[in-house]
Amino acid sequence: MATTDTLDSDLGNDGKADVSIGDYQYGFHDPTDKYAFTSQRGLNAKIVAQISEMKNEPGWMTDFRLKSYEIFESKPMPTWGGDMSGIDFQNIFYYVRASDRQEKSWDDVPEDIRKTYDRLGIPEAEKKYLSGVKAQYESEVVYGSLQEDLEKQGVLFTDTDSALRDHPEIFRQYFGTIIPPSDNKFAALNSAVWSGGSFIYVPPGVNIDFPLQAYFRINTQNMGQFERTLIIVDEGANVHYVEGCTAPTYSSDSLHSAVVEIVVKRKGRCRYTTIQNWSNNVYNLVTKRAMAYGDALMEWIDGNLGSKLTMKYPAIYLMEPGARGETLSIAFASEGQHQDAGAKMVHCAPHTSSRIISKSISKDGGRSSYRGLAKVEKGATDCKSNVVCDALILDSESRSDTYPYIEVEEDDVAMEHEASVSKIAEEQLLYLMSRGLTEAEASAMIVTGFIEPLVKELPMEYAVEMNRLIELQMEGSVG
Amino acid sequence: MSSLLKIEDLHVSVGETEILKGVNLEIRQGEIHALMGPNGSGKSTLAYALVGHPKYEITSGSISIDGTDVLDLDPAERARLGMFLAFQYPVTIPGVKVADFLRHAISNVRNPDRKEGEELMPMREFRTELRSTMQELNIDAEFARRYLNDGFSGGEKKRMEILQLAMLKPKFAILDETDSGLDSDAVRVVSEGLSKLSGPHMGVLIITHHERLLEYNVPQFTHVMLAGRIVETGDASLAHDLHNNGYAGVRERHPEAAAEEDAAQEETTSV
Ligand SMILES: Nc1ncnc2c1ncn2[C@@H]1O[C@H](COP(=O)(O)OP(=O)(O)OP(=O)(O)O)[C@@H](O)[C@H]1O
Ligand SMILES: [Mg+2]
C-alpha cells in the first residue's frame, strides 16, 4: 500500500494531474496569503486548526474541532462491523478548496461506470460531475434554487458552513448535541474536519410539502468527504429531506464519513431519505441520529448500494411519550462489497413506538449484514417495537448475517422481531421464464419485487432509477 | 401451414425416479386435446417437461416444434417459440405488479428478438389491451395493480393464468387443471374465455379431472395417462366415459401399467 511519500505513484496514470498537484504541494501560492492553505494529505492538529482558520470560524468552533481531533486520536479503531484495515488516515485529503481541485480526464473513469451512466441515461453534464471529471463545488453543497416561499415562511435551508456564519445562535444551540464527538471514532473525525452538508430549520407549524434535495458527491482523487448535516424541525412542522443519487458515484480510494443530526420537536415530522451508490473503493462510515419529542414522527429511509464498506445505523431516540420512529433500509452488496447497515431505536419515554424494516440483497460474493438495536430504557413502559429483516441471497458465494440486539429494562413492552433469509426460488424463476423473461430479467424482477415495499416510499425519479439499476446489476451476472 | 408440437418417446425423471416412461403425442395448431388420468400418473410432469422445468430431467426422447428440437432451449426461449403453460399451482411473486410483469412478458413473446434492456411495448397500447382483455374475462381492473398472485384466492390465481394466456396468445397452450378450484360461474367464464381464445391459431392440451371445460372446448382427442404412459387415445366420448365411470376400466384394459402404478405407490408409501 502506498503511503504519504508517494504522491506521484498514487495519482497514477494522469501525468497532468501529477504536475499540478506538485505545484500546489511545493508552494505555488504565497504562504502569507490568507488562502495559503494547501490541500495536502494527512491529518494533525495544525491542519485541523488551519481548516477552521480557512473558513474564518469563531473560536468556539476551532476549539470544538481541536478537541474532537484529540478524541479521534485517542479512540481505537472499532473492531466490529467490517474490515477497515484499508483506511490510511494519512493518505486522505481532509479539506480541498475548490480552486485546488484537479480535473480528471474522462479516460480515467472505469469503463463499467461509464457504461452504467449510458444505460441509465444520465445527462452528459451530470455524468462528468458524478465521475469527478468535472471538479465543481466538491466539498460544498449544490442546491436547487431555494424556493422563495420557503424563505417567507421562515425556513432556513443553507449549507452548514454558511449556517454557522449566518445563524450562529440557533446553530450553536444544537450543533454537536445529538451526536457528540465522543460518540465514536468517526463522529470525532467528522467533528474535527467537517465541511459542507446541509442546515435546515423549519419553524413551528410550517409544512414543507415537497422534498428538499441536496447532492453530495466525492469528486477529487483520494478526497474524503465529511459533511455535517443539522436539521431542526420545530413543533408541528414537517419536512422531507432527500440526499444522494442512485447512479454510481465514482472516486478513487476515499473515505466518506458524514454526521447527520436531527431534532424533531413536539408533533413535528421529519423524513430523511438517502440513496447512496459509491464506487467500489469507498469506505462509507456514517453516523446518523435523530431525537424525536412528544408525538413526533421521525423516519429514516436509507438505500445503500455500492461502496467497499458501508457502516451505517441510523438511530432514533424517542424522548417523550407518543414519539414514533421508523427506519426502512435497503442494502445491495455486490462483488467486493460489504454492507453493514441497520438501525437503532432507543425508547427513552413511555408510550413510544418504533419500527425497523430492513431488506438486503447479496450477490456475486457480496456481503450484507443487518445490525440493529432496539432498546427500552427504565421507565419507558407501554412501548412497541417491531423489527423485520429480510435477506435475499442470489448465489452461494454471497453472504448475509443478522445481528439483532435487544435491551429491555421494562416488562410492559411489546417487542417483535422477524428475520428471514431466502434464495430466489427455482419455481419463481421458472414461472417468470415460462412467460418469456430471460433468466436475468426474471431475477431482476424478483429482486425488484423484494425491495418494492421500500422503493415505493422513494420519490418517483429515485424509484425508477433504482429499479433500472437493479436490472443492470442483474444482467449478464446470472446463468 | 399449421405448426406441430411433437413429443416422441419422452422419458422424464425427477432425481432417481423415472416418472414418464415413453410418452408420444402430437398436437397441431387448432386442435384441442384432453389429457386425463388418475392422480400421480404424470400429467403435470409432462406439462413441466414441455416448458422446460429444470427439475424434470429428460433422459431420452424428444420434444420439437415444427421439427425444431426444443430440449436445448430454456423456458424463456420456448415461450418465445409459442409454448405456454397455465400452472396447476401458480407461483407468487411478491412486489411485482401484474401489469409490469405482463408488459415485460408480452414485449418478449411478441418480439422474440428483443434484447434485455430494450424498449418495452408502449405503455398506452399495452394498457388498452390489458383493460379490455380483463373486461372480457370478468377480472376486476384492480388486479392489474396487485402483486402477482400475492394473496390471490385459488380461483383468482387460475383466472390470472387465463389472463396471461389471453395476452400472450401462444401457439401451444397447456392448461393444467385450470378448472379446479373455480366456482361454477368462474368455470363458465374461463371455459368461454378459452373457447374464444382458441381457434385455428392455438393448439390446446387440457389436463383436467372435470367435464365443464371440455363441454365448451370439445376435444378432438382424449388421452389417458397411466403410470407415466399414454395408454389410450379416443375422442370426446372417452372423456365423458372416464368422467362417469372412473379409471377401473382403463386399468383392466392395461394390466401392466396398472401394476406399475401399484408398484410406484408402494414405493412412495413405504418411505
Ligand atoms: N418435483 C417432484 N419431486 C418428487 N416427485 C415428483 C415431483 N414431481 C412429480 N413427482 C412425482 O411424480 C408422479 C407424477 O406426478 P404429477 O404431478 O405429474 O401427477 P399428475 O398426473 O399431475 O397428478 P394430479 O392429477 O394429482 O395433478 C407423482 O408420483 C409425484 O409424486
Ligand atoms: Mg397435476
Side-chain angles (χ1 to χ4, degrees), chain B residues 52 63 68 116-117 166 214 218 250:
Chain B
I63 303 171
T68 306
E116 289 168 5
L214 301 178
V218 180
V250 176

Side-chain angles (χ1 to χ4, degrees), chain B residues 5-73:
Chain B
L5 170 63
K6 194 167 178 181
I7 302 160
E8 283 176 293
D9 193 29
L10 192 70
H11 290 252
V12 175
S13 297
V14 175
E16 298 289 285
T17 320
E18 178 162 77
I19 296 167
L20 296 190
K21 298 162 182 165
V23 172
N24 293 287
L25 186 60
E26 287 188 13
I27 302 174
R28 275 200 177 277
Q29 246 180 326
E31 291 175 354
I32 296 177
H33 294 243
L35 178 61
M36 302 183 74
N39 294 136
S41 55
K43 304 180 298 296
S44 294
T45 300
L46 176 62
Y48 285 139
L50 285 171
V51 295
H53 192 313
K55 229 186 219 150
Y56 293 76
E57 191 198 345
I58 317 284
T59 51
S60 69
S62 74
I63 303 171
S64 62
I65 292 178
D66 295 333
T68 306
D69 188 349
V70 305
L71 289 185
D72 288 335
L73 303 182

